[in-house]
Coordinates of all heavy atoms in Angstrom, one line a residue:
M1 N 6.8 -6.0 13.7 CA 6.7 -6.1 12.3 C 7.3 -7.4 11.6 O 7.9 -7.2 10.5 CB 7.0 -4.8 11.5 CG 6.4 -3.6 12.0 SD 5.3 -2.6 11.0 CE 4.6 -3.8 9.9
S2 N 7.4 -8.4 12.2 CA 8.2 -9.5 11.7 C 7.5 -10.4 10.7 O 7.8 -10.5 9.6 CB 8.9 -10.3 12.9 OG 7.8 -10.8 13.7
D3 N 6.3 -10.9 11.2 CA 5.6 -12.0 10.3 C 4.4 -11.4 9.6 O 3.4 -12.1 9.5 CB 5.4 -13.3 11.1 CG 5.1 -14.4 10.2 OD1 5.6 -14.4 9.0 OD2 4.3 -15.3 10.6
W4 N 4.5 -10.1 9.2 CA 3.2 -9.6 8.6 C 3.0 -10.0 7.1 O 2.0 -9.8 6.5 CB 3.3 -8.0 8.8 CG 4.4 -7.5 8.0 CD1 5.7 -7.3 8.4 CD2 4.4 -6.8 6.7 NE1 6.5 -6.7 7.4 CE2 5.7 -6.5 6.4 CE3 3.3 -6.8 5.8 CZ2 6.0 -5.9 5.2 CZ3 3.7 -6.2 4.5 CH2 4.9 -5.8 4.3
L5 N 4.1 -10.5 6.6 CA 4.1 -10.8 5.1 C 4.5 -12.3 4.9 O 5.7 -12.5 4.4 CB 5.0 -9.9 4.3 CG 5.0 -10.1 2.8 CD1 3.5 -9.8 2.3 CD2 5.9 -9.1 2.2
P6 N 3.7 -13.2 5.2 CA 4.1 -14.7 5.1 C 4.2 -15.1 3.7 O 5.1 -16.0 3.4 CB 3.0 -15.5 5.9 CG 1.8 -14.6 5.9 CD 2.4 -13.1 5.8
S7 N 3.5 -14.5 2.8 CA 3.5 -15.0 1.4 C 3.1 -13.8 0.4 O 2.2 -13.1 0.8 CB 2.7 -16.2 1.3 OG 2.5 -16.6 -0.1
L8 N 3.5 -14.0 -0.7 CA 3.0 -13.0 -1.8 C 2.0 -13.7 -2.6 O 1.4 -13.1 -3.4 CB 4.2 -12.6 -2.8 CG 5.2 -11.7 -2.3 CD1 6.3 -11.4 -3.4 CD2 4.6 -10.3 -1.8
I9 N 1.7 -15.0 -2.4 CA 0.7 -15.6 -3.1 C -0.7 -15.5 -2.6 O -1.0 -15.4 -1.4 CB 1.0 -17.2 -3.0 CG1 2.4 -17.5 -3.4 CG2 0.0 -18.1 -3.9 CD1 2.9 -17.1 -4.8
T10 N -1.6 -15.1 -3.6 CA -3.0 -14.7 -3.2 C -4.0 -15.6 -4.1 O -3.6 -16.1 -5.2 CB -3.3 -13.3 -3.4 OG1 -3.3 -12.9 -4.8 CG2 -2.4 -12.4 -2.6
E11 N -5.1 -15.8 -3.6 CA -6.1 -16.5 -4.4 C -6.5 -15.9 -5.7 O -6.7 -16.6 -6.6 CB -7.4 -16.8 -3.5 CG -7.1 -17.9 -2.5 CD -7.1 -19.3 -3.1 OE1 -8.1 -19.6 -3.9 OE2 -6.2 -20.1 -2.8
T12 N -6.8 -14.6 -5.5 CA -7.3 -14.0 -6.7 C -6.6 -12.6 -6.9 O -5.9 -12.1 -6.1 CB -8.9 -13.5 -6.4 OG1 -8.8 -12.5 -5.3 CG2 -9.7 -14.7 -6.0
P13 N -6.8 -12.0 -8.2 CA -6.1 -10.8 -8.5 C -6.6 -9.7 -7.6 O -5.9 -8.8 -7.1 CB -6.6 -10.5 -9.9 CG -6.8 -11.8 -10.5 CD -7.4 -12.6 -9.4
A14 N -7.9 -9.7 -7.2 CA -8.5 -8.6 -6.1 C -7.7 -8.6 -4.8 O -7.3 -7.7 -4.2 CB -9.9 -8.9 -6.0
E15 N -7.5 -10.0 -4.4 CA -6.7 -10.0 -3.1 C -5.3 -9.7 -3.4 O -4.7 -9.1 -2.4 CB -6.8 -11.6 -2.6 CG -8.1 -11.9 -2.0 CD -8.1 -13.5 -1.6 OE1 -7.0 -14.0 -1.5 OE2 -9.2 -14.0 -1.5
G16 N -4.7 -9.9 -4.5 CA -3.4 -9.4 -4.8 C -3.3 -7.9 -4.8 O -2.4 -7.3 -4.3
Y17 N -4.4 -7.3 -5.3 CA -4.4 -5.8 -5.2 C -4.5 -5.2 -3.8 O -3.8 -4.3 -3.4 CB -5.6 -5.2 -6.1 CG -5.3 -3.8 -6.4 CD1 -4.5 -3.5 -7.5 CD2 -5.8 -2.8 -5.7 CE1 -4.3 -2.3 -7.9 CE2 -5.6 -1.5 -6.1 CZ -4.8 -1.2 -7.1 OH -4.6 0.1 -7.5
D18 N -5.4 -5.9 -2.9 CA -5.3 -5.6 -1.6 C -3.9 -5.6 -0.9 O -3.5 -4.8 -0.1 CB -6.3 -6.5 -0.7 CG -7.8 -6.1 -1.1 OD1 -8.0 -5.0 -1.6 OD2 -8.6 -6.9 -0.7
L19 N -3.2 -6.7 -1.2 CA -1.8 -6.9 -0.7 C -0.9 -5.8 -1.2 O -0.1 -5.3 -0.4 CB -1.3 -8.2 -1.1 CG 0.1 -8.6 -0.7 CD1 0.3 -8.5 0.8 CD2 0.6 -10.0 -1.2
A20 N -1.1 -5.3 -2.4 CA -0.3 -4.3 -2.9 C -0.6 -3.1 -2.2 O 0.4 -2.3 -1.9 CB -0.6 -4.1 -4.5
V21 N -1.8 -2.8 -1.9 CA -2.1 -1.5 -1.1 C -1.5 -1.7 0.3 O -0.9 -0.7 0.9 CB -3.6 -1.3 -0.9 CG1 -3.9 -0.2 0.1 CG2 -4.3 -1.0 -2.3
K22 N -1.5 -2.9 0.9 CA -0.9 -3.1 2.2 C 0.6 -2.9 2.1 O 1.1 -2.2 3.1 CB -1.2 -4.4 2.7 CG -0.7 -4.8 4.1 CD -1.2 -6.0 4.6 CE -0.6 -6.3 6.0 NZ -1.0 -7.5 6.6
L23 N 1.3 -3.3 1.1 CA 2.7 -3.2 1.0 C 3.0 -1.8 1.0 O 4.0 -1.2 1.7 CB 3.2 -3.9 -0.3 CG 3.3 -5.4 -0.3 CD1 3.5 -5.8 -1.7 CD2 4.2 -6.0 0.7
A24 N 2.3 -0.9 0.2 CA 2.5 0.5 0.2 C 2.3 1.2 1.5 O 3.1 2.0 2.0 CB 1.6 1.2 -0.9
R25 N 1.3 0.7 2.2 CA 0.9 1.4 3.5 C 2.0 1.0 4.6 O 2.3 1.9 5.5 CB -0.5 1.1 3.9 CG -1.6 1.7 3.0 CD -2.9 1.5 3.5 NE -3.3 2.5 4.5 CZ -4.3 2.4 5.2 NH1 -5.3 1.5 5.1 NH2 -4.5 3.3 6.2
V26 N 2.3 -0.2 4.5 CA 3.4 -0.6 5.6 C 4.7 0.2 5.3 O 5.3 0.5 6.5 CB 3.5 -2.2 5.5 CG1 4.9 -2.5 6.2 CG2 2.4 -2.9 6.0
A27 N 5.0 0.5 4.2 CA 6.3 1.2 4.0 C 6.2 2.6 4.6 O 7.1 3.1 5.4 CB 6.6 1.3 2.5
V28 N 5.0 3.2 4.5 CA 4.8 4.5 5.1 C 4.8 4.5 6.6 O 5.4 5.3 7.2 CB 3.3 5.1 4.7 CG1 3.0 6.4 5.5 CG2 3.4 5.4 3.1
K29 N 4.1 3.3 7.2 CA 4.2 3.1 8.6 C 5.6 2.9 9.1 O 5.9 3.4 10.3 CB 3.2 2.0 9.0 CG 2.7 2.0 10.4 CD 1.6 1.0 10.6 CE 1.2 1.0 12.0 NZ 0.1 0.0 12.2
M30 N 6.4 2.2 8.5 CA 7.7 1.9 8.9 C 8.6 3.2 8.8 O 9.4 3.5 9.7 CB 8.4 0.9 8.0 CG 8.0 -0.5 8.3 SD 8.8 -1.7 7.1 CE 8.4 -3.3 7.9
T31 N 8.3 4.1 7.8 CA 9.0 5.2 7.6 C 8.6 6.3 8.6 O 9.5 7.0 9.1 CB 8.8 5.7 6.1 OG1 9.0 4.7 5.3 CG2 9.8 6.8 5.9
Q32 N 7.3 6.4 8.9 CA 6.8 7.4 9.9 C 6.0 6.6 11.0 O 4.8 6.4 10.8 CB 5.9 8.5 9.3 CG 5.5 9.4 10.2 CD 6.4 9.9 11.2 OE1 6.4 9.4 12.3 NE2 7.1 11.0 10.9
P33 N 6.7 6.1 12.0 CA 5.9 5.3 13.0 C 5.0 6.0 13.8 O 4.2 5.5 14.5 CB 7.1 4.7 13.9 CG 8.4 5.0 13.2 CD 8.1 6.1 12.2
E34 N 5.1 7.4 13.9 CA 4.1 8.2 14.7 C 2.7 8.3 14.2 O 2.6 9.0 13.2 CB 4.6 9.6 15.0 CG 6.0 9.7 15.7 CD 5.9 9.9 17.2 OE1 4.7 10.2 17.5 OE2 6.9 9.8 17.9
A35 N 1.7 7.7 14.8 CA 0.3 7.6 14.2 C -0.2 9.1 14.2 O -0.8 9.4 13.2 CB -0.5 6.8 15.1
E36 N 0.2 9.9 15.2 CA -0.3 11.2 15.2 C 0.1 12.1 14.0 O -0.7 12.8 13.4 CB 0.0 12.0 16.5 CG -0.6 13.3 16.7 CD 0.3 14.4 16.3 OE1 1.5 14.2 16.3 OE2 -0.2 15.3 15.7
I37 N 1.3 11.8 13.6 CA 1.9 12.6 12.4 C 1.3 12.0 11.1 O 0.8 12.8 10.3 CB 3.3 12.4 12.4 CG1 4.1 13.1 13.6 CG2 3.9 13.0 11.0 CD1 5.5 13.0 13.7
R38 N 1.1 10.7 11.0 CA 0.5 10.1 9.9 C -0.9 10.6 9.7 O -1.4 10.9 8.6 CB 0.5 8.5 9.9 CG 1.8 7.9 9.7 CD 1.8 6.5 9.4 NE 0.8 5.8 10.3 CZ 1.3 5.2 11.4 NH1 2.5 5.2 11.7 NH2 0.5 4.5 12.1
E39 N -1.7 10.7 10.8 CA -3.1 11.2 10.8 C -3.1 12.6 10.2 O -4.0 13.0 9.5 CB -3.7 11.0 12.1 CG -4.3 9.6 12.3 CD -4.4 9.3 13.7 OE1 -4.6 10.1 14.7 OE2 -4.2 8.0 14.1
R40 N -2.2 13.5 10.6 CA -2.1 14.8 10.3 C -1.9 14.9 8.7 O -2.4 15.7 8.0 CB -1.1 15.6 11.0 CG -0.9 17.0 10.7 CD -0.4 17.9 11.9 NE 0.5 17.1 12.8 CZ 1.9 17.2 12.6 NH1 2.4 17.8 11.7 NH2 2.7 16.5 13.5
L41 N -0.9 14.1 8.2 CA -0.5 14.2 6.8 C -1.7 13.6 6.0 O -1.8 13.8 4.8 CB 0.9 13.5 6.6 CG 2.0 14.2 7.3 CD1 3.2 13.4 7.1 CD2 2.2 15.6 6.8
R42 N -2.4 12.6 6.5 CA -3.5 12.0 5.7 C -4.4 13.0 5.3 O -4.9 13.1 4.1 CB -4.3 10.9 6.6 CG -5.6 10.6 6.2 CD -5.5 9.7 5.0 NE -6.8 9.1 4.6 CZ -7.1 8.6 3.4 NH1 -6.2 8.4 2.6 NH2 -8.3 8.2 3.2
A43 N -4.8 14.0 6.1 CA -5.7 15.0 5.8 C -5.2 15.8 4.5 O -6.0 16.3 3.7 CB -5.9 16.0 6.9
E44 N -3.8 16.0 4.5 CA -3.3 16.8 3.3 C -3.4 15.9 2.0 O -3.9 16.4 1.0 CB -1.9 17.1 3.6 CG -1.7 18.2 4.5 CD -0.3 18.5 4.8 OE1 0.6 18.2 3.8 OE2 0.1 19.0 6.0
Y45 N -2.9 14.7 2.1 CA -2.7 13.9 0.8 C -4.1 13.6 0.3 O -4.4 13.4 -0.9 CB -1.7 12.8 0.9 CG -2.2 11.4 1.4 CD1 -3.0 10.7 0.4 CD2 -1.9 11.0 2.5 CE1 -3.4 9.4 0.8 CE2 -2.4 9.7 3.0 CZ -3.1 8.9 2.2 OH -3.5 7.7 2.6
A46 N -5.0 13.3 1.3 CA -6.5 12.8 0.9 C -7.2 13.8 0.0 O -8.1 13.5 -0.7 CB -7.2 12.6 2.2
E47 N -6.8 15.1 0.1 CA -7.5 16.1 -0.8 C -6.5 16.7 -1.9 O -6.9 17.8 -2.4 CB -7.9 17.3 0.0 CG -8.9 16.8 1.1 CD -9.9 17.7 1.6 OE1 -10.2 18.7 1.0 OE2 -10.5 17.4 2.6
D48 N -5.4 16.0 -2.3 CA -4.5 16.4 -3.2 C -4.5 15.3 -4.4 O -3.9 14.3 -4.2 CB -3.2 16.6 -2.6 CG -2.1 17.3 -3.4 OD1 -2.2 17.0 -4.7 OD2 -1.3 18.1 -3.1
A49 N -5.0 15.7 -5.5 CA -5.2 14.8 -6.6 C -3.8 14.3 -7.0 O -3.7 13.1 -7.3 CB -5.9 15.5 -7.8
E50 N -2.7 15.1 -7.0 CA -1.5 14.7 -7.5 C -0.8 13.6 -6.6 O -0.3 12.7 -7.0 CB -0.5 15.9 -7.7 CG -0.9 16.5 -9.1 CD 0.2 17.7 -9.3 OE1 1.4 17.7 -8.9 OE2 -0.2 18.7 -10.0
R51 N -1.0 13.9 -5.3 CA -0.5 13.0 -4.3 C -1.3 11.7 -4.3 O -0.8 10.5 -4.0 CB -0.3 13.6 -3.0 CG 0.9 14.4 -2.9 CD 1.2 14.8 -1.6 NE 0.6 16.1 -1.2 CZ 0.6 16.7 0.1 NH1 1.2 16.1 1.0 NH2 0.0 17.9 0.2
L52 N -2.6 11.8 -4.6 CA -3.3 10.5 -4.7 C -2.9 9.7 -5.9 O -2.9 8.4 -5.7 CB -4.8 10.8 -4.8 CG -5.4 11.4 -3.5 CD1 -6.8 12.0 -3.7 CD2 -5.4 10.3 -2.4
I53 N -2.6 10.3 -7.0 CA -2.0 9.6 -8.2 C -0.7 9.1 -7.9 O -0.5 7.9 -8.3 CB -2.0 10.7 -9.4 CG1 -3.4 11.1 -9.9 CG2 -1.2 10.0 -10.5 CD1 -3.4 12.3 -10.8
E54 N 0.1 9.8 -7.1 CA 1.4 9.2 -6.7 C 1.3 7.9 -5.9 O 2.0 6.9 -6.1 CB 2.2 10.2 -6.0 CG 2.9 11.3 -6.9 CD 3.4 12.5 -6.0 OE1 3.5 12.4 -4.8 OE2 3.7 13.5 -6.7
A55 N 0.3 8.0 -5.0 CA 0.0 6.8 -4.1 C -0.5 5.7 -5.0 O -0.1 4.5 -4.9 CB -1.0 7.1 -3.1
S56 N -1.3 6.0 -6.0 CA -1.8 4.9 -6.9 C -0.6 4.3 -7.7 O -0.6 3.1 -7.9 CB -2.8 5.5 -8.0 OG -3.8 6.1 -7.3
Q57 N 0.4 5.1 -8.0 CA 1.6 4.6 -8.8 C 2.4 3.6 -7.9 O 2.8 2.6 -8.4 CB 2.4 5.8 -9.1 CG 3.7 5.4 -9.9 CD 3.3 4.7 -11.3 OE1 2.8 5.5 -12.1 NE2 3.6 3.5 -11.5
V58 N 2.5 4.0 -6.7 CA 3.3 3.1 -5.7 C 2.6 1.7 -5.7 O 3.1 0.6 -5.7 CB 3.4 3.7 -4.4 CG1 4.0 2.7 -3.4 CG2 4.3 5.0 -4.4
V59 N 1.2 1.8 -5.6 CA 0.4 0.6 -5.4 C 0.6 -0.2 -6.8 O 0.7 -1.5 -6.8 CB -1.1 0.8 -5.2 CG1 -2.0 -0.4 -5.3 CG2 -1.2 1.5 -3.9
A60 N 0.6 0.5 -7.9 CA 0.7 -0.2 -9.2 C 2.1 -0.9 -9.3 O 2.2 -2.1 -9.8 CB 0.6 0.9 -10.4
T61 N 3.1 -0.3 -8.7 CA 4.4 -0.9 -8.7 C 4.3 -2.2 -7.9 O 4.9 -3.3 -8.4 CB 5.5 0.0 -8.2 OG1 5.5 1.1 -9.1 CG2 7.0 -0.7 -8.2
H62 N 3.7 -2.2 -6.7 CA 3.7 -3.4 -5.9 C 2.7 -4.4 -6.5 O 3.1 -5.6 -6.4 CB 3.1 -3.0 -4.5 CG 4.1 -2.3 -3.6 ND1 5.4 -2.8 -3.4 CD2 4.0 -1.1 -2.9 CE1 5.9 -2.0 -2.5 NE2 5.1 -0.8 -2.3
F63 N 1.7 -3.9 -7.2 CA 0.8 -4.9 -7.8 C 1.6 -5.6 -8.9 O 1.3 -6.9 -9.2 CB -0.4 -4.3 -8.3 CG -1.4 -5.3 -8.9 CD1 -2.1 -6.2 -8.1 CD2 -1.8 -5.3 -10.3 CE1 -3.0 -7.1 -8.6 CE2 -2.7 -6.1 -10.7 CZ -3.4 -7.1 -10.0
A64 N 2.5 -5.0 -9.6 CA 3.2 -5.6 -10.7 C 4.0 -6.9 -10.1 O 4.2 -7.9 -10.7 CB 4.1 -4.7 -11.4
T65 N 4.6 -6.5 -9.0 CA 5.5 -7.7 -8.2 C 4.5 -8.8 -7.8 O 4.9 -10.0 -8.0 CB 6.1 -7.0 -7.0 OG1 6.9 -5.9 -7.5 CG2 7.0 -8.0 -6.5
V66 N 3.4 -8.5 -7.2 CA 2.5 -9.5 -6.6 C 2.0 -10.3 -7.8 O 1.8 -11.5 -7.7 CB 1.3 -8.8 -5.8 CG1 0.3 -10.0 -5.4 CG2 2.0 -8.1 -4.6
A67 N 1.6 -9.7 -8.9 CA 1.0 -10.3 -10.1 C 2.1 -11.4 -10.6 O 1.7 -12.4 -11.0 CB 0.6 -9.3 -11.1
A68 N 3.3 -10.8 -10.7 CA 4.4 -11.7 -11.2 C 4.5 -13.0 -10.3 O 4.6 -14.1 -10.8 CB 5.6 -11.0 -11.5
A69 N 4.6 -12.7 -9.0 CA 4.7 -13.8 -8.0 C 3.7 -14.8 -8.1 O 3.9 -16.0 -7.8 CB 4.7 -13.2 -6.6
N70 N 2.5 -14.3 -8.5 CA 1.4 -15.3 -8.8 C 1.2 -15.8 -10.2 O 0.1 -16.3 -10.6 CB 0.0 -14.6 -8.2 CG 0.1 -14.5 -6.7 OD1 -0.4 -15.4 -6.1 ND2 0.5 -13.4 -6.2
N71 N 2.1 -15.6 -11.0 CA 2.1 -15.9 -12.4 C 0.9 -15.4 -13.1 O 0.2 -16.0 -14.0 CB 2.2 -17.5 -12.6 CG 2.5 -17.9 -13.9 OD1 3.2 -17.2 -14.6 ND2 2.2 -19.1 -14.3
Y72 N 0.5 -14.2 -12.7 CA -0.7 -13.5 -13.3 C -2.0 -14.3 -13.2 O -2.9 -14.1 -13.9 CB -0.4 -13.1 -14.7 CG 0.9 -12.2 -14.8 CD1 2.1 -12.9 -15.0 CD2 0.8 -11.0 -14.5 CE1 3.2 -12.0 -15.0 CE2 2.0 -10.1 -14.5 CZ 3.2 -10.7 -14.7 OH 4.3 -10.0 -14.8
W73 N -2.0 -15.1 -12.2 CA -3.3 -15.9 -11.8 C -3.8 -16.8 -13.0 O -5.0 -17.0 -13.1 CB -4.4 -15.0 -11.3 CG -3.9 -14.4 -9.9 CD1 -4.1 -14.9 -8.7 CD2 -3.4 -13.1 -9.7 NE1 -3.6 -14.1 -7.8 CE2 -3.1 -12.8 -8.4 CE3 -3.0 -12.0 -10.6 CZ2 -2.5 -11.8 -7.9 CZ3 -2.4 -10.9 -10.0 CH2 -2.2 -10.7 -8.8
R74 N -2.8 -17.2 -13.8 CA -3.3 -17.9 -15.0 C -3.5 -19.4 -14.5 O -2.9 -19.9 -13.5 CB -2.1 -18.0 -16.1 CG -2.2 -16.8 -16.9 CD -1.2 -16.9 -18.1 NE 0.2 -16.7 -17.7 CZ 1.0 -15.7 -18.0 NH1 0.4 -14.7 -18.7 NH2 2.2 -15.6 -17.6
Ligands
HEM101 C1 -5.8 5.9 5.0 C2 -3.4 4.2 1.1 C3 0.3 7.1 2.1 C4 -1.8 8.0 6.3 C5 -5.5 5.3 3.8 C6 -6.4 4.5 3.0 C7 -5.8 3.9 2.0 C8 -4.4 4.5 2.0 C9 -6.4 3.0 0.9 C10 -7.9 4.2 3.4 C11 -8.1 3.2 4.3 C12 -9.6 3.0 4.7 O1 -10.3 4.1 4.7 O2 -10.0 1.9 4.9 C13 -2.2 4.7 1.1 C14 -1.3 4.5 0.1 C15 -0.1 5.4 0.3 C16 -0.6 6.1 1.5 C17 -1.3 3.5 -1.1 C18 1.2 5.5 -0.4 C19 1.6 4.9 -1.5 C20 0.0 7.7 3.3 C21 0.9 8.5 3.9 C22 0.4 8.9 5.2 C23 -0.9 8.1 5.2 C24 2.2 9.2 3.3 C25 0.9 9.8 6.2 C26 2.1 9.9 6.5 C27 -3.0 7.6 6.4 C28 -3.9 7.7 7.5 C29 -5.0 7.0 7.0 C30 -4.9 6.6 5.7 C31 -3.5 8.2 8.9 C32 -6.4 7.0 7.8 C33 -6.4 5.9 8.9 C34 -6.8 4.6 8.3 O3 -7.8 4.5 7.6 O4 -6.0 3.7 8.4 N1 -4.3 5.2 3.1 N2 -1.7 5.7 2.0 N3 -1.0 7.4 4.2 N4 -3.6 7.0 5.4 FE1 -2.7 6.4 3.6

């Protein structure tokens, strides 16, 4: 997992949002390296509105960082 994040700079806000989702997911993968366990837990959070909202919040935090790094694509 060394060179998976070469830059925070993206062409468009939509690409920046994709990067924010990736940042969130990579943290989960680093924290729980066992794919089998992640797959089991996926089934739980995928059907729990509160946990989906929490996941959205994590993405929103990363998106704020990515947007700032890109000077809000101005
Ligand atoms: C799938 C985001 C937390 C395990 C997905 C997908 C997204 C996503 C967008 C759909 C991928 C697709 O269908 O193309 C996130 C975000 C998280 C989060 C933003 C937290 C902030 C977790 C956690 C686990 C998990 C805590 C389990 C420990 C999985 C698995 C899949 C999945 C196994 C299905 C496999 C895959 O499509 O790659 N997640 N997730 N995720 N997530 Fe999460």
